Each structure stands twice: as structure tokens, then as C-alpha cells.
Amino acid sequence: MGKRELDESIIELKGIGEKTGKLFNKLGVYSCGDLLSYYPRGYDLFDAPLKACDLKENVICAVKLTIIGNVTKRRVRNLSIVAFEAADDTGMVKMAYFNAPYLASSLKSGTTHIFRGMVRKKGNFFSMDHPKMYKIEEYAALMGHLLPRYPLTKGLTNNTVMKAVEKAFLNVGTIEEFVPGDVLSRLGLMDYSRALKAVHFPDNGSMLEDARRRLAYNEFLLFVIKLRLLKQTQEEAKNENPMIEVADVTRLLEQLPYKLTGAQLRAFDDIKADLSGDYVMNRLIQGDVGSGKTILAFMALLMCAANGYQGAMMAPTEVLAAQHFESFKKLIKDYNLTSLKPALLTGALSAKDKREVQRQISEGEVNCIIGTNALIQEKVIYKNLALVVTDEQHRFGVRQRGALAGKGLSCHVLAMSATPIPRTLAIILYGDLHISLVDEMPKGRLPIKNCVVGTSYRPTAYKFINDQIQAGRQCYVICPMIEEGELDGVENVTDYTHMLKATLPEMVNVAMLHGKMKPKEKDEIMEAFARKDIDVLVSTTVIEVGINVPNATVMMIENSERFGLSQLHQLRGRVGRGNEQSYCIFINTSDDEETKKRLDVMNKTNDGFKIAEEDLKMRGPGDLFGVRQSGELSFRLGDIYHDSDLVKESAMDADRILSSDPELALPQHAVLRELIATKSANSVDTATL
Ligand code: ADP
Ligand code: MG
């Protein structure tokens, strides 16, 4: 191996010039090592070609067909369309190619090809738009192989990435193993070098799964070691910011329009005991969506401020941070909580405003600072930060806590999560965290009514949405994509918004929200939705975490089959937050039986833990590259549910390694030590939201 080769810039690789290098940089790939761990996001499997009668709608299929009749060429506005029909003895498929007029002359009636692409149904016929075309012998050579499909950026083709990865492997040679042989054989794990290669170029599905497991083990092992190392430095941290109970909290509890649930009260007792105890707080509040975690954070921040300290609350998105800020301002005003002085700090602020907020923070003019992870950036200097609350940031931990420690702060940490991590796993992964479960829903909530339906249900859904709006309610519609053309057959927010505007009565206000909008725009839209100026919000999953608009009663999710069950549960959690009956409509555009069964789970239960369990049971290993969960502890290849055995094993191994060599100083741990220190090992706790 060598470390030197791994660190070498990709520009040194033959065939990668400055320009291509820059494109790779855009994807975060700088060195050969980066390239090797630039994993495919999927694989193309070249299955044996089907007969026309065996094609399946909405599935990528290969089919061997002969062109029949004429190849026609026409123009529709500025689009040229080449179309023809192709058939075998069992059926016919309509083919179309856009903006490829040259095809018209090269395609001959009577010739036979393999066509591979997404199959659609148009009326009574199957159709394929833009299928890839192969000569028969060309396809035969590809058959049975898995070809990697990489995440790309404009200007960079899949082939370029594949070639570059191949060259990087040649350049780097064998990569040194860092896991002892007895561990590998005990767990039946592939060696590191082979696994890295196989994850890019697997011979078959089972080899890919073996490789993925090995790399998943790496992720868990490194993660746990880092956690443990951090714990060593923090474990005995004395509570330097002790707090006492304050009257404001008691008064707030008495005046709130609702009574806290028993579970909320127990969790808050835990928090109070930590804040006033001998050691620094490290607590995870785990409660299903809608269980009322925010008010707990608010009370902790109130207690902190009333004791004369600063507290901060970190949210994964700007939208969510802004929402918390608004609702905290309202609580402060409604209950006259003058000890709390809130401020919002996100990337959305202008440079000038940011400087002003930073000044207020450093001079102690504000004591309840809400924001994104801008909160723990270097430039922010706190006067006396004593508490950090992280909302829906399951991966808050190693790096961020390190950043705080770097500021010389040993703050109390309160993490809040709706991710149903089984307790046993949570204890392994967050060995240093105490856990409070909020396992009780506020009273008076009506269970959400669900339906999983096909696209033909849409008109009924729109009518239902309209009725709800006329009754004063609001609705969400979720689409997986932002714009047209990102993926075939997948709904996008932009077009959907236009379509809904045209479909619903004119007085219904439809707006869109997605991650490519400017932060300021996003805030404005969310605020308008909260004010009820917007009736229907068409959005990507940016609204997935934490958003709270209790007046919204309908959640309609397009292409539900593209989401993991836990993610669907999070999305559904945006409704059913008030006293009105709420509804969730899952549109399933796939006719695959397995998918139907999977989505049906959403019909049967509103319980996040049960859903996570079912999700785990129903996903085969092959799906892991397909539907990924978001929001939970997401490792790149590891899945804490699916690989729970590896999580446990890696934790044991980590503890064994560290007990024999607490500082990883031994020569046989040199590679491990380096991996722990490198950027790529950090990627487990770099938020991707
Ligand atoms: P989550 O746990 O998903 O973060 P939130 O804290 O956003 O949930 O709470 C959801 C809604 O429930 C909010 O509108 C909140 O005001 C309300 N709520 C919280 N606790 C209670 C309670 N004990 N009784 C009734 N409503 C509550
Ligand atoms: Mg929340």
C-alpha cells in the first residue's frame, strides 16, 4: 500500500486532467484514497433479456426485440422525437428517443437489438423512452455483471469515474489490513483491500454484500473507537455549570394550555437532576414524532438562562431552526419569561447580521441561541455557554462535541431524537449517553387515518384536500425530486406545484419548498405556511424533520415506494399534531408485490418502533443500496438495524483494542490510528441534510 499513494492527488492519475480533477473536487474527491471510498450509489445488473410479454411496468428491464414498421421522426415545439415499434413473438413495445434525430437514419426496420430501460404503460401498450440499445453479442458480454453507478456532477460521466477508480486501485496497490486476522475469521469478514475493490466492481450480488458488510464493520468500529476515545477525555467531566430549579419553569408548567404527559414529566425530572448534579449532562431524549420533545428543550433552556448561563439549540435544517426560534419567541412573550433572550444564528443571515448576533453572543446579550450547526463554528465565541440542545441530530456527537471541547467548554448536552434506535443499540453506540424515553403521546390526539393507493386515486385525493382546505385546514404534498428530469417516473416539486395550482380552485394557495431555494425564501414560505397564508405546501423531504404546524391535517406522499418506512413515518408525523382528525395518503406508483406489502405496514400502525422493526424485517440485503433511511444514524454502508450484529461485535472489538492499547500507540494499531485521524473516518458524523 501506501499511505503516500492514498494521499496522492487524483490529478496524478493518468487521464485525469485539471478540468476533470476540479469536477471530482466538487464531489469531495481530492486524493486517490477519496476515490477508493467514493462508493457507487447503485449497480446496473445486466439480466438476461425478457420476452415482451414478461415486461413489468415501472421496472428497468432488458428485452430483445426487432424493429417493425417505419422509424418516424417528428418535432414537437423544440423537441425532436424519433419513434418506432419493436416486437417479438409475444408482444410489441413503443420506443421513443428525444433529441437524437440521427437515430432515424441509423435504425433499420427488421434489425434486432437488446433494449434496456424503464418500462411504462401507455394505454394498452408497453413503452420505453430512451432505452439503451445494445448489439446482441455486446449485451451477452455484459450479462450477469454488476456495473457501478456513481453519484455524478454535470460534466462528469459514470464511465470517467469508473475508469478513475480503476486507475486509483492500480496506483495504490494492496491496502493494509488493520483488523486482526482472528476477528476477520470469527466474523467471516472479507479482507479490507478486497472489500474496497469488490464494492466498486463486484462479480455478483453475494460478493457485493460481503464487501458491504466488511466496510460496514469498519464504519462501526471506527465510530465506536472514536466515541470511546472521546469518552475517556470527558467521562469524569465535573459539572462546572450547576443549576438550581427556577420559579419560571414551575410557572410555565402551571400556565401551559395543556398538562405535560407523565413521560414528559419524567424526562424533565431526568434533565433537572443532570443539570444540578455532579457531572456534565449527556442525555438523549428519545420520543416518537409528536410526543412533545420541543417543550422539554425549551424548559431546559429556560432553566439554563434563569441560572445566568447561555444555552444553544441546534437543528439540522434552517427551516427547523427558524421554526423553533419563532415558537420560542411566542412562548417567551405569552408567558412573560423575561430571563430568556433569544437569538437566531443560521447560514441564512447576511454577513452583517451574523456579525451582530455573534457580538451579542460573545457579550452575553443573548442567552438562548437557536440555529444550525453554524452555532458551533469557530467564529462563534460564547460568553458562558452551559447547555447545548440538539434537535433531530442523531449524529451529534464525536465531531461537534469535539468542537465544543475545542472551545474549552464542557457543556451539558441534550440530544433529542425521534429515531427509534433500539435501546440496546443506543447504549452501544452512545455508550456515554443517558437515555430518557418519551413513550406516551399527548392526550386527545386522534390516530391518523392512512391509505395506500395507486395513482388513479389522485383526483379523489385532490378533492379531499380541497374539502379539508375549505374546512380551514392545511395540507402537505411530498415529491421526491425538485425538478423535472432528475429521474424518470418520479414526481417533482416544481411541476407538481404548477399542476396543483391548475387543478385546485383559484383561491387555494399552493406554494413549494425545497432544498435548492435560498434559506431566506425557505423561511418565508415556512412562516407563511405557519400563518396559514399558504394552504398547500408541495415540498421535498426538507420538511421531514420536526416541522410543527398543527393546523395541517393532510399529508400526501407521491412515489411513497421510494422512501424507507421510517422516513415515511417521519413525514406522516407532520400531521396529527393538533386536535383535528388527520390523514395520510401514500401514493404507490409501483405495482411490485413486495413494495405493496412494505407500504401496507404504514396502514397498520402509527407506532415508530414497530415500523422500524418491520422495515428491518422486510428489507433484503439487496435493497440496502436502494431505499436508504435518512435521519437515523446513517453510516455510509452500515445500517444499524440490518447490521445490528456487527454493531455489537464492533463495539466489543473496539473495547478490547482500547483496553490493551488505550492510546492506539502500538505498531499494530498504526493504521487504525491514522484512520481515526483522517477525514474519511469522520464522514460518519458529517451531516448530510
Ligand atoms: P416532537 O416530539 O415531534 O418534537 P413537538 O414537540 O413538536 O413534537 O410537539 C408536537 C405538538 O404537541 C406541539 O404543537 C406541542 O405544542 C404539542 N404538545 C406538546 N406536549 C403536549 C402535551 N403534553 N399535551 C398536548 N399537546 C402537547
Ligand atoms: Mg421535534
Side-chain angles (χ1 to χ4, degrees):
M1 93 136 186
K3 162 138 180 52
R4 209 173 45 75
E5 285 86 348
L6 281 174
D7 286 344
E8 206 157 82
S9 164
I10 47 168
I11 308 282
E12 307 292 322
L13 293 173
K14 244 210 199 120
I16 298 190
E18 195 117 331
K19 207 166 130 226
T20 313
K22 285 231 168 73
L23 293 172
F24 272 111
N25 293 167
K26 251 176 136 175
L27 301 169
V29 175
Y30 294 86
S31 67
C32 286
D34 293 342
L35 204 46
L36 299 190
S37 55
Y38 194 67
Y39 303 143
R41 67 156 170 217
Y43 301 83
D44 277 330
L45 174 62
F46 292 85
D47 269 332
L50 299 174
K51 284 277 183 192
C53 63
D54 294 327
L55 289 177
K56 271 200 193 142
E57 196 183 350
N58 293 324
V59 175
I60 292 179
C61 298
V63 56
K64 181 174 159 185
L65 300 172
T66 305
I67 299 177
I68 51 172
N70 289 332
V71 176
T72 63
K73 191 164 86 173
R74 64 199 158 91
R75 285 192 83 78
V76 178
R77 265 169 273 136
N78 51 3
L79 194 69
S80 91
I81 305 175
V82 171
F84 56 89
E85 297 176 353
D88 61 12
D89 51 0
T90 69
M92 186 272 276
V93 181
K94 293 187 176 195
M95 306 287 178
Y97 289 86
F98 304 112
N99 287 336
Y102 49 89
L103 279 178
S105 52
S106 62
L107 286 172
K108 297 265 173 312
S109 181
T111 54
T112 303
H113 310 263
I114 309 283
F115 298 90
R116 185 173 183 279
M118 180 62 83
V119 177
R120 302 273 174 219
K121 205 151 195 180
K122 279 189 191 148
N124 282 331
F125 293 101
F126 282 125
S127 69
M128 291 170 105
D129 289 348
H130 272 290
K132 284 234 167 76
M133 235 183 314
Y134 301 89
K135 294 196 186 95
I136 290 161
E137 58 283 2
E138 190 187 0
Y139 194 85
L142 288 169
M143 234 159 67
H145 280 284
L146 288 165
L147 234 59
R149 230 179 29 237
Y150 293 97
L152 300 171
T153 184
K154 205 170 167 214
L156 198 64
T157 67
N158 197 58
N159 207 31
T160 309
V161 181
M162 208 165 89
K163 288 269 149 23
V165 172
E166 277 170 359
K167 288 201 190 95
F169 272 115
L170 283 178
N171 198 39
V172 167
T174 309
I175 295 153
E176 205 171 318
E177 183 55 78
F178 61 93
V179 175
D182 58 322
V183 173
L184 293 182
S185 55
R186 188 186 84 232
L187 301 174
L189 292 175
M190 212 182 230
D191 72 70
Y192 186 26
S193 209
R194 235 160 56 88
L196 255 189
K197 203 167 251 170
V199 86
H200 290 279
F201 307 113
D203 287 347
N204 51 49
S206 83
M207 182 174 183
L208 173 62
E209 172 57 10
D210 286 349
R212 189 201 64 79
R213 260 178 79 81
R214 166 59 212 263
L215 299 175
Y217 174 84
N218 283 13
E219 292 181 344
F220 297 140
L221 184 74
L222 295 180
F223 181 84
V224 177
I225 290 184
K226 283 209 231 172
L227 266 188
R228 300 291 191 265
L229 288 176
L230 197 88
K231 197 179 161 197
Q232 280 173 9
T233 59
Q234 295 218 325
E235 192 169 34
E236 303 299 333
K238 284 261 177 308
N239 183 357
E240 287 163 20
N241 306 300
M243 302 182 195
I244 54 165
E245 286 197 39
V246 296
D248 271 352
V249 172
T250 323
R251 185 165 59 85
L252 175 67
L253 278 178
E254 278 162 9
Q255 294 181 354
L256 275 178
Y258 50 80
K259 263 205 166 73
L260 289 196
T261 62
Q264 282 173 313
L265 285 172
R266 282 191 296 279
F268 191 61
D269 280 343
D270 292 342
I271 295 171
K272 274 192 300 196
D274 286 348
L275 292 176
S276 57
D278 293 337
Y279 297 101
V280 166
M281 169 163 76
N282 241 329
R283 183 164 296 280
L284 173 70
I285 302 284
Q286 204 179 74
D288 209 345
V289 282
S291 60
K293 298 182 291 291
T294 318
I295 191 72
L296 298 174
F298 183 75
M299 293 195 299
L301 288 164
L302 177 58
M303 183 161 160
C304 182
N307 273 280
Y309 303 110
Q310 286 176 317
M313 178 152 167
M314 208 158 88
T317 62
E318 279 160 359
V319 171
L320 190 53
Q323 180 197 281
H324 284 323
F325 180 63
E326 290 306 318
S327 67
F328 285 10
K329 272 202 312 204
K330 187 164 185 308
L331 282 167
I332 291 168
K333 186 161 157 272
D334 289 355
Y335 301 101
N336 195 27
L337 302 165
T338 47
S339 60
L340 269 176
K341 301 198 169 39
L344 178 68
L345 181 63
T346 66
L349 295 185
S350 69
K352 187 161 156 259
D353 289 349
K354 221 181 273 176
R355 272 198 305 276
E356 171 59 11
V357 176
Q358 282 164 0
R359 186 194 62 74
Q360 293 174 336
I361 294 173
S362 65
E363 295 181 10
E365 278 173 31
V366 291
N367 59 14
C368 171
I369 305 114
I370 322 257
T372 50
N373 50 13
L375 285 182
I376 53 165
Q377 273 160 11
E378 258 165 61
K379 287 198 196 107
V380 191
I381 298 161
Y382 291 88
K383 181 147 187 268
N384 59 351
L385 185 68
L387 168 68
V388 176
V389 183
T390 67
D391 190 22
E392 311 281 0
Q393 281 261 57
H394 328 299
R395 286 182 290 173
F396 180 84
V398 188
R399 224 164 52 118
Q400 285 96 336
R401 245 178 275 164
L404 288 173
K407 289 171 187 281
L409 299 166
S410 65
C411 297
H412 297 290
V413 172
L414 184 63
M416 301 197 300
S417 163
T419 302
I421 305 172
R423 202 181 178 89
T424 48
L425 284 183
I427 288 170
I428 292 171
L429 290 168
Y430 296 123
D432 56 340
L433 272 187
H434 296 113
I435 301 173
S436 302
L437 282 183
V438 185
D439 51 2
E440 189 183 342
M441 283 290 171
K443 292 218 171 56
R445 294 270 168 84
L446 296 166
I448 298 168
K449 290 193 176 156
N450 303 291
C451 64
V452 181
V453 288
T455 50
S456 62
Y457 187 80
R458 278 183 191 138
T460 318
Y462 301 149
K463 189 174 169 305
F464 182 74
I465 286 177
N466 188 37
D467 290 347
Q468 286 283 307
I469 290 164
Q470 300 315 322
R473 308 279 93 75
Q474 289 161 282
C475 306
Y476 298 99
V477 179
I478 306 297
C479 302
M481 300 292 156
I482 297 175
E483 296 161 327
E484 181 70 293
E486 291 174 79
L487 268 177
D488 279 355
V490 177
E491 297 301 327
N492 72 82
V493 166
T494 315
D495 292 345
Y496 211 99
T497 307
H498 294 315
M499 184 277 292
L500 267 189
K501 276 184 179 161
T503 308
L504 293 169
E506 212 169 315
M507 20 137 19
V508 173
N509 213 336
V510 184
M512 65 176 161
L513 182 76
H514 58 72
K516 279 193 189 159
M517 283 160 68
K518 296 219 172 68
K520 203 152 174 205
E521 261 177 287
K522 277 192 272 186
D523 288 352
E524 279 163 15
I525 295 282
M526 258 341 284
E527 277 161 31
F529 190 65
R531 274 198 315 269
K532 234 177 124 176
D533 287 349
I534 293 170
D535 302 304
V536 181
L537 189 60
V538 183
S539 169
T540 55
T541 55
V542 286
I543 62 116
E544 176 189 344
V545 276
I547 293 301
N548 185 41
V549 178
N551 189 51
T553 54
V554 183
M555 167 61 74
M556 174 168 175
I557 305 172
E558 285 288 349
N559 299 105
S560 298
E561 73 280 0
R562 301 191 60 86
F563 299 102
L565 293 185
S566 297
Q567 194 176 12
L568 289 174
H569 179 63
Q570 283 282 340
L571 287 168
R572 174 168 63 186
R574 298 312 112 217
V575 298
R577 302 174 81 84
N579 293 328
E580 303 291 337
Q581 176 65 56
S582 287
Y583 306 86
C584 190
I585 305 167
F586 300 93
I587 304 283
N588 173 15
T589 60
S590 142
D591 59 3
D592 180 59
E593 277 306 313
E594 283 299 306
T595 309
K596 267 192 201 139
K597 246 173 47 199
R598 201 167 64 87
L599 290 176
D600 219 34
V601 173
M602 303 306 295
N603 249 338
K604 287 193 204 120
T605 176
N606 285 324
D607 178 328
F609 269 89
K610 278 209 193 103
I611 286 171
E613 242 169 59
E614 287 294 320
D615 205 4
L616 170 59
K617 266 193 249 157
M618 293 201 162
R619 273 186 300 164
D623 300 339
L624 288 176
F625 284 98
V627 184
R628 296 286 295 175
Q629 299 298 334
S630 81
E632 64 204 34
L633 265 168
S634 15
F635 294 91
R636 292 179 63 204
L637 296 177
D639 179 304
I640 57 164
Y641 301 108
H642 182 81
D643 304 316
S644 58
D645 60 326
L646 282 183
V647 173
K648 287 174 198 154
E649 298 286 352
S650 67
M652 268 167 30
D653 294 338
D655 289 337
R656 229 188 28 212
I657 292 171
L658 288 173
S659 69
S660 69
D661 182 15
E663 254 131 52
L664 299 180
L666 295 175
Q668 67 264 38
H669 295 144
V671 181
L672 196 54
R673 191 173 59 232
E674 238 162 55
L675 280 173
I676 298 278
T678 55
K679 185 173 104 266
S680 56
N682 261 331
S683 60
V684 278
D685 48 39
T686 309
T688 49
L689 277 159

